[in-house]
């Protein structure tokens, strides 16, 4: 093959393209980086302001509000255990990273999902991009992210957003599509505008699906924390990464368990939030 | 007769709907007179509605009936353009809705046309009240006002007190009442009901039909009702349009469709109908021979002899029924020089012209003389003879009067037979 056809210099093209982007949009990327970094840091500062026990209680109350007493209790114990292990601050850094990336994934992802549910053309174009975002090894977009945003929390955050956004988009679209056809007909027959149909019927009915998407996004974002730590994002991921490089099994397991605890807490809370109050019956 | 006075609410002129990609070519083939099947084979396009033309008058219940796949659901959706017609005109109060832009169409849907769906199509995340309010909510009606309207229309359908429940908590029949209330809350002129009662079990369906008729009587809305159930169509329809393969094969009153099916298809459709629930006394009554009360018994006797009947109804000058006279009594009266009045049987069984045959079986079978049919002023309109009743039930048209006019050719013979 190699002798018959000249090899196309794809890699060179991409490098040139990235260089060009950095040259032209450098200031813009710097601006984005500053903004994102500030957001994450603000999150960390806010959560670090109250004593750890008080924050654990606040989280537990939030869990109670969104889900059940049982999950609230688990949340309290889980957070206190992490505090006891001495990973409180890295845990907060990780949580800030995850929450920021998921918030951005929702802000961008839900409207895109709605758009895709309304326009066939949008769906045709965006679906393969989503496939790409999910299957491309995460390390690959860490490299250009470093070029664009330098080492630190931001490239990790961006990689998390890219990796975590597709489920929110897909499930939003799916949820809106799955609203029964006769309900759509009913909204049309009464003379709803497109926005009225979306806001009053389709999106409320798609809420369980959208929440399932958010839940998936949170899980995927958590799974990125170790990788993000490799480009300098601080948090529990960094502890795991250090344990790996230093072959410290004990520390590795400890931090791993801490990550899993956070994952379980976030998962249970968001699962319940999606299920709540659907026409007075569980759905 | 009345129809000439009525206003045309909806006029559909040559409306067709073809589903599929090559709809233009299919439309051409349709014009050339190809059938639905041929067009499907040649172009892959499906003919939903083929050249439908009909009108609906203000205040009537117009039933569109057909089996599944006959295009009736498509046809009704053309009326509020949930489905756009491929060709044709649809005039609503004289305005062609096919030519309307989105804004105008939305207004028509908001103000003029309400719709009730087969599977209720209630919003599961909204309470009964919120569901009922929906049509008003999207028009931007103030909260208090729309709540009042919604509560009023829930009361109309008998669901007062269920406002804060969710659709999932109600039975099918109740859910459809909500569907009806939701459509009524906008106070539209026209109600489209797409197989509205088909998902309900038979007993509840019948209740709902009765209630719909009652509501129709009270509110006088124009109702277009889609059904695949002939009994339902006959029961509630002022006029019925029968559809097959996207075409309207016959339009007429229930009686017309039953008695004069325009082709084999309609005939096969209606052959299993229980005629006893459709035919009324008006359809089968025969001309009543009468004698006026001030005549002598001998006149009555001679009349009976010449007609070869054994009893005769007695009326006053205004044609009001006074009673019956048997030949025996007339003979006795003549001998004793009494008046008819003195031997008159006043306790005769009567019925009204609108009674259906099911309700007449009992009285006709036990009566010793033919049952009298009277109007609301007790005027004698005709009599019911057993033989004619049985003949009519057998579907024999010679025993059935058209438009309530009594045909005279077979009357004497039938009467005589019945009495022998």
């Amino acid at each position: 093959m190699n002798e018959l056809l000249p090899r196309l210099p794809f890699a060179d093209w991409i490098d040139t393209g990235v260089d060009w982007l950095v040259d032209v949009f450098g200031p813009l990327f710097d601006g984005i980086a500053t903004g994102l970094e500030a957001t994450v840091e603000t999150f960390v500062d806010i959560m670090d302001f109250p004593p750890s026990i008080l924050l654990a209680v606040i989280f537990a109350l939030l869990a109670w509000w969104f889900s059940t007493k049982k999950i609230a209790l688990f949340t309290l114990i889980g957070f206190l255990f992490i505090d006891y292990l001495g990973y409180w601050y890295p845990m907060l850094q990780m949580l800030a990273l995850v929450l920021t990336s998921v918030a951005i994934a929702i802000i961008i992802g839900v409207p895109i999902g709605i758009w895709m549910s309304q326009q066939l053309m949008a769906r045709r174009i965006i679906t393969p991009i989503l496939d790409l975002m999910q299957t491309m090894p995460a390390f690959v977009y860490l490299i250009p992210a470093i070029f664009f945003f330098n080492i630190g929390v931001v490239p990790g955050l961006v990689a998390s957003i890219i990796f975590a956004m597709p489920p929110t988009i897909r499930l939003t679209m799916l949820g809106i599509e799955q609203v029964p056809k006769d309900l759509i007909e009913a909204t049309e027959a009464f003379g709803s505008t497109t926005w009225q149909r979306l806001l009053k019927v389709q999106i409320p009915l798609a809420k369980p699906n959208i929440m399932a998407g958010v839940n998936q996004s949170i899980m995927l974002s958590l799974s990125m924390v170790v990788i993000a730590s490799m480009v300098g994002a601080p948090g529990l991921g960094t502890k795991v990464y250090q344990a790996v490089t230093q072959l410290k099994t004990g520390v590795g397991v400890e931090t791993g368990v801490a990550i899993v605890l956070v994952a379980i807490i976030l998962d249970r809370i968001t699962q319940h939030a999606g299920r709540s109050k659907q026409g007075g019956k569980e759905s | 007769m009345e129809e000439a006075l009525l206003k045309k609410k909806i006029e559909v002129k040559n409306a067709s709907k073809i589903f599929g990609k090559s709809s233009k070519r299919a439309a051409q083939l349709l014009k050339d007179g190809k059938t639905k099947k041929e067009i499907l084979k040649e172009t892959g396009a499906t003919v939903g509605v083929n050249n439908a033309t009909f009108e609906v008058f203000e205040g009537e219940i117009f039933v569109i009936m057909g089996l599944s796949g006959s295009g009736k659901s498509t046809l009704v959706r053309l009326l509020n353009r949930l489905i756009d017609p491929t060709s044709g005109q649809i005039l609503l109060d004289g305005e062609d809705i096919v030519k309307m832009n989105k804004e105008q169409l939305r207004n028509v849907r908001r103000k003029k046309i309400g719709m009730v769906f087969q599977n209720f199509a209630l919003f599961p995340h909204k309470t009964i009240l919120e569901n009922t309010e929906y049509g008003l909510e999207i028009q931007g009606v103030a909260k208090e006002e729309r709540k009042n309207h919604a509560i009023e229309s829930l009361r109309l359908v008998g669901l007062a007190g269920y406002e804060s429940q969710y659709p999932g908590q109600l039975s099918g029949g109740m859910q459809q009442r909500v569907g009806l209330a939701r459509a009524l809350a906008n106070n539209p002129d026209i109600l489209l009901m797409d197989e509205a009662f088909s998902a309900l079990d038979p007993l509840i369906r019948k209740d709902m039909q009765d209630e719909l008729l009652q509501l129709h009587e009270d509110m006088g809305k124009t109702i277009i009702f889609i059904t695949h159930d002939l009994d339902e169509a006959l029961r509630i329809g002022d006029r019925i349009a029968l559809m097959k393969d996207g075409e309207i094969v016959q339009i007429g009153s229930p009686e017309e469709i039953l008695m004069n099916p325009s082709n084999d298809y309609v005939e096969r459709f209606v052959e299993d109908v229980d005629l006893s629930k459709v035919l009324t006394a008006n359809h089968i009554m025969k001309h009543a021979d009468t004698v006026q009360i001030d005549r002598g018994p001998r006149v009555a006797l001679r009349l009976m002899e010449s007609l070869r009947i054994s009893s005769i109804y007695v009326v006053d000058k205004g044609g009001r029924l006074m009673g019956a006279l048997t030949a025996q009594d007339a003979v006795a009266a003549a001998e004793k020089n009494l008046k008819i009045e003195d031997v008159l049987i006043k306790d005769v069984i009567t019925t009204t012209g609108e009674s259906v045959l099911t309700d007449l079986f009992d009285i006709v079978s036990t009566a010793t003389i033919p049952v009298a049919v009277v109007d609301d002023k007790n005027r004698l309109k005709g009599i019911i003879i057993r033989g004619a009743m049985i003949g009519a039930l057998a579907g024999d048209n010679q025993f059935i009067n058209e438009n309530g006019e009594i045909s005279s050719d077979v009357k004497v013979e039938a009467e005589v037979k019945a009495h022998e």
Side-chain angles (χ1 to χ4, degrees):
Chain A
M1 282 297 277
N2 281 343
E3 290 92 51
L4 286 175
L5 288 169
R7 197 184 180 289
L8 286 175
F10 271 129
D12 293 344
W13 292 351
I14 303 240
D15 286 346
T16 316
V18 169
D19 286 346
W20 181 80
L21 280 176
V22 172
D23 279 349
V24 178
F25 295 107
L28 176 68
F29 288 130
D30 286 347
I32 294 173
T34 317
L36 290 176
E37 202 167 354
T39 312
V40 177
E41 274 168 8
T42 315
F43 256 126
V44 176
D45 288 346
I46 291 172
M47 290 193 289
D48 196 35
F49 179 69
S52 57
I53 293 175
L54 179 62
L55 190 71
V57 171
I58 291 172
F59 274 126
L61 288 175
L62 277 175
W64 194 5
W65 173 261
F66 280 115
S67 55
T68 64
K69 228 186 258 181
K70 234 166 141 183
I71 293 169
L73 192 66
F74 182 82
T75 305
L76 186 66
I77 294 170
F79 276 123
L80 291 179
F81 183 65
I82 293 169
D83 189 26
Y84 172 74
L85 290 178
Y87 295 122
W88 186 252
Y89 192 71
M91 190 275 289
L92 289 186
Q93 287 175 317
M94 178 190 76
L95 208 55
L97 177 74
V98 168
L99 292 180
T100 311
S101 68
V102 171
I104 292 171
I106 293 171
I107 291 168
I108 300 173
V110 171
I112 290 179
I114 294 169
W115 184 38
M116 285 171 76
S117 73
Q118 300 300 305
Q119 286 206 316
L120 197 64
M121 207 54 209
R123 182 184 318 178
R124 286 203 182 129
I125 294 168
I126 296 170
T127 306
I129 299 177
L130 295 183
D131 294 338
L132 189 80
M133 283 161 77
Q134 280 189 296
T135 48
M136 181 73 84
F139 290 101
V140 176
Y141 38 74
L142 276 182
I143 311 168
I146 295 169
F147 280 113
F148 294 144
F149 305 111
N150 294 324
I151 299 282
V153 71
V154 179
L157 182 67
V158 170
S160 292
I161 294 170
I162 294 173
F163 192 57
M165 196 154 51
T168 293
I169 296 178
R170 279 185 212 273
L171 281 155
T172 300
M173 182 183 81
L174 187 74
I176 289 177
E177 272 182 356
Q178 280 181 343
V179 173
K181 196 173 155 283
D182 56 342
L183 294 188
I184 306 297
E185 263 197 331
T187 61
E188 298 285 346
F190 284 100
S192 313
T193 60
T194 306
W195 278 112
Q196 285 173 332
R197 165 162 55 76
L198 275 169
L199 293 177
K200 292 185 190 294
V201 177
Q202 286 182 302
I203 293 173
L205 285 175
K207 202 182 115 200
N209 267 314
I210 296 175
M211 283 311 292
V214 171
N215 174 279
Q216 287 303 302
S217 288
I218 291 175
M219 294 302 113
L220 288 183
S221 171
L222 270 167
S223 74
M224 281 291 287
V225 292
V226 178
I227 293 170
S229 72
M230 294 167 77
V231 291
L236 275 176
T238 317
K239 302 279 172 204
V240 175
Y241 187 48
Q242 284 168 1
V244 172
T245 49
Q246 295 163 17
L247 293 177
K248 286 181 172 167
T249 314
V251 178
V253 171
E254 258 182 17
T255 44
V257 166
I259 291 176
V260 168
L261 280 174
V262 174
I264 293 174
I265 289 167
L266 291 179
D267 176 62
R268 295 300 183 273
I269 293 175
T270 48
Q271 265 187 27
H272 270 269
R275 248 183 273 159
S276 65
K277 287 175 194 153
Q278 264 298 307
K281 55 181 180 179
E282 296 277 308
S283 60
Chain B
M1 316 160 273
E2 279 177 282
E3 281 165 8
L5 300 171
L6 288 173
K7 199 175 136 214
K8 284 174 190 168
K9 191 75 189 166
I10 301 173
E11 274 182 276
V12 177
K13 292 180 180 168
N14 307 103
S16 293
K17 174 65 194 179
I18 295 161
F19 295 102
K21 278 183 183 163
S22 35
S23 65
K24 268 192 186 153
R25 204 154 77 81
Q28 190 54 47
L29 290 173
L30 201 59
K31 266 189 188 162
D32 299 343
K34 302 260 179 167
T35 66
K36 188 175 173 175
K37 259 187 199 156
E38 288 168 340
I39 291 168
L40 180 64
K41 213 173 166 190
E42 267 189 58
T43 65
T46 311
V47 178
V49 173
N50 178 7
N51 207 13
T53 298
F54 64 92
E55 50 215 15
V56 181
F57 299 103
E58 187 152 35
E60 78 172 335
I61 301 185
F62 187 82
V63 175
I64 300 172
M65 202 196 70
L67 299 176
S68 56
S70 62
K72 55 190 190 304
S73 286
T74 308
L75 181 58
V76 77
R77 280 167 176 72
L78 297 183
L79 300 180
N80 62 354
R81 266 182 66 192
L82 282 181
I83 296 176
D84 276 313
T86 311
S87 62
Q89 286 182 297
I90 292 154
L91 306 180
L92 194 82
D93 289 326
E95 266 185 287
D96 191 351
I97 63 160
V98 181
K99 294 205 183 89
M100 285 183 182
N101 63 26
K102 272 189 176 175
E103 184 69 38
Q104 291 168 312
L105 181 64
R106 209 178 290 135
N107 262 325
V108 164
R109 288 174 177 173
R110 287 179 174 186
K111 313 266 177 181
K112 278 197 178 170
I113 304 184
M115 192 162 180
V116 183
F117 296 85
Q118 176 171 14
N119 294 313
F120 323 136
L122 299 179
F123 306 124
H125 61 297
K126 290 177 182 284
T127 63
I128 300 307
L129 185 68
E130 286 164 351
N131 264 284
T132 314
E133 279 179 345
Y134 184 79
L136 296 167
E137 184 187 340
I138 59 172
Q139 292 179 32
V141 174
K143 207 166 184 179
E144 202 53 34
E145 191 187 339
R146 68 179 194 233
K147 192 178 166 189
N148 291 338
H149 281 293
I151 286 177
E152 170 62 16
S153 65
L154 280 170
R155 194 188 58 75
L156 275 175
V157 299
L159 276 185
Y162 288 90
E163 288 84 2
S164 56
Q165 306 243 16
Y166 283 89
Q169 295 169 301
L170 302 189
S171 69
M174 285 158 102
Q175 288 191 39
Q176 192 57 301
R177 281 163 205 263
V178 179
L180 190 56
R182 182 176 62 178
L184 289 174
N186 290 16
N187 197 22
D189 304 345
I190 300 167
L191 268 184
L192 304 180
M193 305 190 69
D194 180 25
E195 302 248 14
F197 303 151
S198 299
L200 306 176
D201 65 58
L203 276 177
I204 291 172
R205 195 190 305 183
K206 211 163 171 205
D207 287 346
M208 292 293 283
Q209 290 167 358
D210 289 338
E211 279 177 48
L212 181 69
L213 289 172
Q214 190 60 51
L215 275 174
H216 177 249
E217 179 122 4
D218 296 343
M219 306 180 81
K221 300 208 178 296
T222 308
I223 298 178
I224 314 241
F225 196 100
I226 307 296
T227 182
H228 62 259
D229 178 358
L230 185 61
D231 288 327
E232 187 167 68
L234 295 171
R235 217 162 160 244
I236 66 173
D238 292 324
R239 289 191 307 141
I240 298 172
L242 249 154
M243 286 191 82
K244 188 201 175 200
D245 292 342
E247 284 177 60
I248 295 182
V249 287
Q250 187 174 4
I251 300 181
S253 69
E255 285 87 355
E256 276 163 10
I257 291 207
L258 279 182
M259 294 311 145
N260 303 310
S262 68
N263 62 22
D264 286 355
Y265 176 74
V266 182
E267 195 166 337
R268 254 191 313 151
F269 215 113
V270 300
E271 71 186 357
D272 292 332
V273 174
D274 186 353
L275 285 172
S276 67
K277 285 179 182 149
V278 180
L279 293 175
T280 62
N282 278 333
H283 285 112
I284 59 156
M285 68 184 179
K286 297 299 166 200
H287 174 77
D289 292 297
T290 57
V291 62
Q292 284 192 11
I293 190 133
D294 53 358
R295 303 291 149 90
R298 284 196 181 76
V299 178
L301 204 54
R302 200 157 64 217
L303 206 56
M304 281 187 263
E305 265 168 2
S306 72
L307 290 165
R308 299 171 66 196
I309 53 180
S310 58
S311 60
I312 194 160
Y313 276 110
V314 181
V315 295
D316 69 4
K317 280 215 170 89
R320 278 184 288 270
L321 180 66
M322 305 301 291
L325 179 69
T326 64
Q328 274 171 323
D329 290 344
V331 171
E335 279 169 5
K336 292 176 193 162
N337 256 338
L338 296 171
K339 288 183 191 161
I340 289 183
E341 238 181 309
D342 302 323
V343 290
L344 196 63
I345 307 168
K346 290 197 172 118
D347 189 20
V348 293
I349 301 167
T350 61
T351 182
T352 59
E354 285 74 39
S355 320
V356 290
L357 297 198
T358 331
D359 302 333
L360 295 176
F361 288 150
D362 199 34
I363 54 173
V364 170
S365 64
T366 53
T368 51
I369 56 173
V371 172
V373 182
V374 293
D375 66 8
D376 48 3
K377 296 194 176 88
N378 204 32
R379 282 188 297 244
L380 185 63
K381 306 308 284 182
I383 53 171
I384 296 171
I385 295 156
R386 272 172 239 172
M389 190 165 180
I390 292 163
L393 283 177
D396 189 340
N397 274 339
Q398 77 166 350
F399 292 105
I400 296 165
N401 312 315
E402 288 198 20
N403 308 323
E405 302 291 324
I406 300 176
S407 57
S408 55
D409 47 342
V410 291
K411 82 182 177 208
V412 177
E413 230 178 307
E415 232 163 301
V416 170
K417 272 185 196 154
H419 286 253
E420 274 166 2

